[in-house]
């Protein structure tokens, strides 16, 4: 109910129209109920007549609901148009229980990979290609647009646009089992110049990612590279989120914890205690020093 972009505005308008129509219908039903219980005998007889039943029970709902359907479809028709030339495209894939993010180039190829966080420029529509890798999820950033389901084997489209810089929270809005309620994300809207700076930094060739750091050795010994990718290293797992720039993210665990060395260490040590049922195993075998080393190394990946 607090739209921050042109694709959320129509949904806000539609919501208020539905609330108003729902209130009007409720009032009409209450008046009819009052007449049926306490009205004059003649009014009650007319209220129960066959003609009024046909009008109020069939004709009125058909007309009202059809009008609302046509109005709602017309109001929201632009939200899922096919991509136009030059539009920015982001592919978001829902997974149990996190978000795989890929920024696409003009040919539809992945140019930047990220997770649980989407960066967009202010004042520019962005096309989101929504997919699922397992079960049905639903992508929802309330202040920027409505929710759209992510269905296995299907690609749905939606548009987002932010009118002002800021961080906008999102959430999976379709129950997907396990820690569904802890499957969040953030959309970060930048001024165009700031977004371009971010984009250039993310598309630059990856550095060696500090492989001399003791935390990198811990990461390798623990087998983390089998599930996670770190650009510029031999760690190239695809099962979990890409960690190439994990230190620059605002949150970890799909939007549920602030990102700092302490929360990283806690997540690595026992993510199951923080987000029960997620697919990352706990690592109780790591010593305190190893946890400090690997979390410090991950925090440095920016």
């Amino acid at each position: 109910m607090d739209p921050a972009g042109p694709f959320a505005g129509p949904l806000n308008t539609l919501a208020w129209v539905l609330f108003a129509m729902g209130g009007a219908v409720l009032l009409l039903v209450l008046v009819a109920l009052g007449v049926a219980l306490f009205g004059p005998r003649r009014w009650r007889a007319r209220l129960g007549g066959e003609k009024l039943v046909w009008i109020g029970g069939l004709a009125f709902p058909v007309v009202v609901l059809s009008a609302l359907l046509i109005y709602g479809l017309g109001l929201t028709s632009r939200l899922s148009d096919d991509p136009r030339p030059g539009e920015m495209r982001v592919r978001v894939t829902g997974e149990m229980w996190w978000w795989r993010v890929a920024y696409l180039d003009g040919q539809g190829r992945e140019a930047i990979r990220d997770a649980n966080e989407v960066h967009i420029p202010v004042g520019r529509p962005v096309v989101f290609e929504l997919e699922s890798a397992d079960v049905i999820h639903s992508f929802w950033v309330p202040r920027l647009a409505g929710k759209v389901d992510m269905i296995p084997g299907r690609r749905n489209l939606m548009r987002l646009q932010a009118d002002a810089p800021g961080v906008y929270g999102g959430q999976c809005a379709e129950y997907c089992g396990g820690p569904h309620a802890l499957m969040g994300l953030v959309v970060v809207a930048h001024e165009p110049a700031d977004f371009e700076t971010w984009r250039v930094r993310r598309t630059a060739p990856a550095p060696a990612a500090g492989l001399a750091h003791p935390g990198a050795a811990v990461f390798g010994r623990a087998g983390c590279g089998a599930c996670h990718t770190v650009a510029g290293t031999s760690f190239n797992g695809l099962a979990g989120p890409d960690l190439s720039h994990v230190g620059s993210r605002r949150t970890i665990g799909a939007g549920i914890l602030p990102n700092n060395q302490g929360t990283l260490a806690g997540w690595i040590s026992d993510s199951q205690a923080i987000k029960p049922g997620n697919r990352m195993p706990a690592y109780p075998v790591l010593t305190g020093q190893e946890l400090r080393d690997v979390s410090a190394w991950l925090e440095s990946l920016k």
Side-chain angles (χ1 to χ4, degrees):
M1 307 310 292
D2 183 21
F7 300 111
L11 297 174
N12 183 51
T13 301
L14 179 60
W16 282 113
V17 169
L18 292 175
F19 291 153
M21 290 298 298
V25 170
L26 175 61
L27 180 61
L28 185 62
V29 170
L30 291 176
V31 169
L33 179 62
V35 170
L37 293 175
F38 309 111
R41 183 184 299 273
R42 182 167 58 86
W43 289 13
R44 282 184 286 168
R46 293 190 62 183
L47 191 63
E50 183 176 345
K51 182 178 180 181
L52 195 58
V53 170
W54 277 105
I55 294 173
L58 181 63
F60 180 73
V62 167
V63 171
V64 170
L65 294 178
S66 298
L68 286 174
L69 176 63
I70 294 170
Y71 173 72
L73 291 176
L75 196 64
T76 60
S77 61
R78 292 181 54 234
L79 303 186
S80 57
D81 288 347
D82 290 337
R84 302 181 183 91
E87 282 190 316
M88 178 178 166
R89 294 159 61 190
V90 179
R91 181 175 298 147
V92 179
T93 304
E95 307 209 13
M96 294 176 166
W97 286 268
W98 61 285
W99 311 88
R100 190 185 298 273
V101 178
Y103 299 81
L104 308 182
D105 62 17
Q107 285 71 49
R109 299 171 300 196
E110 294 186 0
I112 303 172
R113 293 177 180 174
D114 211 336
N116 303 318
E117 189 169 294
V118 182
H119 294 256
I120 63 174
V122 165
R124 177 179 170 189
V126 179
V127 177
F128 281 71
E129 300 182 359
L130 305 177
E131 302 177 343
S132 172
D134 34 55
V135 299
I136 297 177
H137 302 280
S138 192
F139 185 87
W140 189 34
V141 185
R143 294 194 64 201
L144 299 182
K147 70 184 186 75
V148 173
D149 285 348
M150 311 166 89
I151 301 170
R154 179 182 177 91
R155 179 176 297 171
N156 290 331
L157 301 178
M158 73 178 301
R159 278 178 171 74
L160 295 183
Q161 179 178 320
D163 289 337
V167 179
Y168 302 93
Q171 173 67 33
C172 179
E174 178 71 26
Y175 180 69
C176 50
H180 154 74
L182 300 178
M183 186 176 170
L185 77 155
V186 293
V187 174
V188 185
H190 304 268
E191 292 289 359
D194 294 335
F195 174 78
E196 186 62 20
T197 299
W198 175 88
R199 188 192 65 79
V200 170
R201 186 171 66 247
R202 285 296 181 90
T203 54
L211 289 179
H213 195 290
V218 176
F219 191 89
R221 288 198 305 271
C224 305
C227 290
H228 299 284
T229 291
V230 179
T233 74
S234 60
F235 307 134
N236 57 6
L238 298 176
D242 189 305
L243 301 181
S244 301
H245 300 277
V246 64
S248 66
R249 292 177 193 153
R250 285 166 168 75
T251 66
I252 62 171
I256 65 172
L257 289 174
N259 186 8
N260 55 55
Q261 188 176 345
T263 55
L264 282 167
W267 179 264
I268 296 166
S269 174
D270 192 1
S271 68
Q272 296 301 319
I274 299 170
K275 187 173 180 175
N278 86 89
R279 290 181 167 178
M280 179 171 168
Y283 283 87
V285 297
L286 296 180
T287 67
Q289 185 58 53
E290 287 175 324
L291 285 172
R292 287 189 290 274
D293 287 342
V294 71
S295 59
W297 180 64
L298 291 173
E299 189 182 35
S300 72
L301 300 179
K302 298 181 180 181

